[in-house]
Amino acid sequence: MSDKIIALGNEFVKETYRMQSTSSIDCINIFHDGSEEINLLDKDYTKSKNSFLWWGSAGAIHKGLDILIDIFKRNKNLNLYICGYNCEAPFDEFMLDEIKNCENIHNEGFVKIGSDRYFEILNLCIAVISPSISEGGAPGVVNIASAAGLIPIVTRNCGLNVLNQEFIIKEVTTQGVWESIDLLISTDIEEIKEISRETKYFFRKNHSYALYKTNLKEIITRVLDK
């Protein structure tokens, strides 16, 4: 019954609506929160190269946290920071039991965006990883990439355009996620620095509030003109 559907995310998200509706559909990028930026010239990439960030809340399994715990339990040389995990039974019991003896898996709980700990963790990590099976533009990934240039390791289902397609998770399995992680940690440190800087610029430019506002106004005006 709608004249227009405006979907948060990219063309992948748009196509999921097309399967269910004959309405006209436009997609629009979600905007980052505008929080303070990290100066990447001061970042120690050698120190952060083996550390990854999962930033989520509810829906830990559909966001692939169980897969990441499995991977990082096997790879003690890598660090996983878990932020925003919302206690969910029965996953909570499984998770606490799985990570209790894993010094490389850090359950940070709720971390406020813009807090000192938030920026400490962003400086510690090289990538934000989201093996999710369904998102609408992945705002958590957008905020982190735009603030600190963390390289997104995401699925197509996140509905997010990224610069470096080679790090896209092709299959939401332990092996599929590991292949993307392994590719990044095997990349030369100077190349990682360049990718990180380009990532930050890309997300700040393409996910700004000003651009969101302009695009939304253009879509609505076009609908009303008809």
Side-chain angles (χ1 to χ4, degrees):
M1 295 174 64
S2 302
D3 294 306
K4 170 68 67 179
I5 293 173
I6 304 173
L8 286 174
N10 62 5
E11 290 293 322
F12 177 86
V13 176
K14 180 178 178 179
E15 288 305 310
T16 67
Y17 282 88
R18 196 182 302 284
M19 292 186 286
Q20 305 293 333
S21 175
T22 57
S23 299
S24 174
I25 307 167
D26 273 311
C27 50
I28 189 169
N29 285 341
I30 198 164
F31 55 91
H32 61 76
D33 65 0
S35 62
E36 183 182 346
E37 304 175 50
I38 284 178
N39 184 352
L40 298 185
L41 295 176
D42 296 333
K43 182 163 182 170
D44 186 344
Y45 282 90
T46 302
K47 184 178 179 181
S48 66
K49 186 178 180 182
N50 292 329
S51 295
F52 297 76
L53 171 62
W54 181 89
W55 184 273
S57 55
I61 292 178
H62 109 254
K63 295 179 180 180
L65 184 55
D66 55 328
I67 293 175
L68 293 181
I69 289 172
D70 186 34
I71 290 172
F72 284 84
K73 275 189 68 177
R74 301 181 191 183
N75 295 274
K76 304 293 187 181
N77 59 316
L78 303 177
N79 293 297
L80 175 65
Y81 289 86
I82 301 170
C83 292
Y85 167 69
N86 189 25
C87 298
E88 301 169 30
F91 183 78
D92 197 47
E93 184 178 344
F94 159 81
M95 173 177 159
L96 294 176
D97 184 61
E98 287 289 296
I99 70 173
K100 64 182 178 183
N101 296 318
C102 295
E103 295 183 0
N104 63 319
I105 301 178
H106 314 274
N107 182 18
E108 296 283 333
F110 174 78
V111 177
K112 184 178 179 181
I113 290 178
S115 66
D116 289 344
R117 185 56 181 161
Y118 174 73
F119 288 114
E120 286 173 6
I121 293 171
L122 297 192
N123 266 317
L124 286 171
C125 296
I126 194 63
V128 54
I129 184 164
S130 181
S132 180
I133 59 170
S134 180
E135 300 292 330
V141 174
V142 169
N143 284 334
I144 290 161
S146 65
L150 267 66
I151 300 166
I153 299 179
V154 297
T155 60
R156 291 174 65 244
N157 306 60
C158 284
L160 187 63
N161 292 329
V162 296
L163 278 175
N164 301 91
Q165 296 292 316
E166 65 268 30
F167 299 125
I168 291 286
I169 297 168
K170 297 176 178 61
E171 187 178 59
V172 187
T173 61
T174 300
Q175 181 60 30
V177 176
W178 168 249
E179 287 175 0
S180 293
I181 294 173
D182 188 44
L183 180 62
L184 181 56
I185 61 178
S186 302
T187 303
D188 178 77
I189 195 69
E190 291 303 317
E191 186 176 349
I192 285 178
K193 288 181 183 180
E194 187 61 28
I195 293 171
S196 174
R197 291 163 186 164
E198 290 175 350
T199 293
K200 180 182 169 188
Y201 175 77
F202 175 83
F203 277 92
R204 292 200 80 82
K205 177 184 177 183
N206 292 289
H207 291 268
S208 69
Y209 172 70
L211 183 60
Y212 174 88
K213 184 177 178 180
T214 298
N215 290 342
L216 186 61
K217 182 178 180 179
E218 188 276 328
I219 292 170
I220 294 173
T221 301
R222 182 159 27 90
V223 174
L224 294 178
D225 284 346
K226 290 183 179 180

